[in-house]
Amino acid sequence: MLGDVALTPGAARVFLPAVLPLCPWVALSDLRAMKIRNLAVACLFLAFLALAPLVLPIPVVIARLAQGAGMLAMGIVLSTIGAMGAGEAKFLAAAAPFVAPAGARFVLALLAGMTLAAVATHRAVRATPLHRLAPNWVS
């Protein structure tokens, strides 16, 4: 099946330099203003569009784009019912093509664990004087 082609180490080496700078930008923007900028989402998506054909077969690229469209549809539903923000929905959709279907279970487990750790850390910091380090942050 085309969508089951795993991300090769070579592909990861190509994607990582393009994606890595975006992650701290998105995290800080989300913490500071509770917004994930459309520019960040567009950069992530354009990085996939530009680099994927260099390291993945075109049918796999198309399957991964369809995967991202599916995530966008699910994200819109979750955003509409208030389960997640629209920025998160867009960012997940832009990030989805980078994930091989064979690795989806691992990525979902990692996302769940990181989300729980982030919420716990966020709540813990809010209960200490450390929250004064970022007095103008919305989160």
Side-chain angles (χ1 to χ4, degrees):
M1 178 183 251
L2 293 175
D4 287 333
V5 172
L7 182 65
T8 64
R13 280 193 277 282
V14 171
F15 288 142
L16 187 63
V19 172
L20 197 56
L22 297 173
C23 297
W25 176 29
V26 168
L28 284 173
S29 171
D30 200 17
L31 284 170
R32 187 178 298 131
M34 296 295 286
K35 294 188 185 306
I36 296 177
R37 307 280 178 219
N38 287 338
L39 180 60
V41 173
C43 287
L44 185 62
F45 183 68
L46 290 173
F48 182 81
L49 284 181
L51 298 173
L54 302 175
V55 292
L56 297 172
I58 296 301
V60 172
V61 174
I62 292 168
R64 299 279 183 88
L65 291 172
Q67 178 176 296
M71 287 298 293
L72 181 60
M74 289 188 339
I76 289 170
V77 170
L78 290 170
S79 178
T80 300
I81 64 172
M84 77 169 29
E88 284 83 0
K90 293 181 292 186
F91 189 76
L92 284 173
F98 290 95
V99 179
R105 185 177 291 183
F106 171 76
V107 171
L108 288 173
L110 183 63
L111 178 63
M114 294 302 291
T115 300
L116 290 173
V119 169
T121 303
H122 194 269
R123 297 289 186 237
V125 168
R126 195 167 69 174
T128 70
L130 287 174
H131 74 278
R132 293 188 201 123
L133 294 174
N136 297 324
W137 285 20
V138 176
S139 71

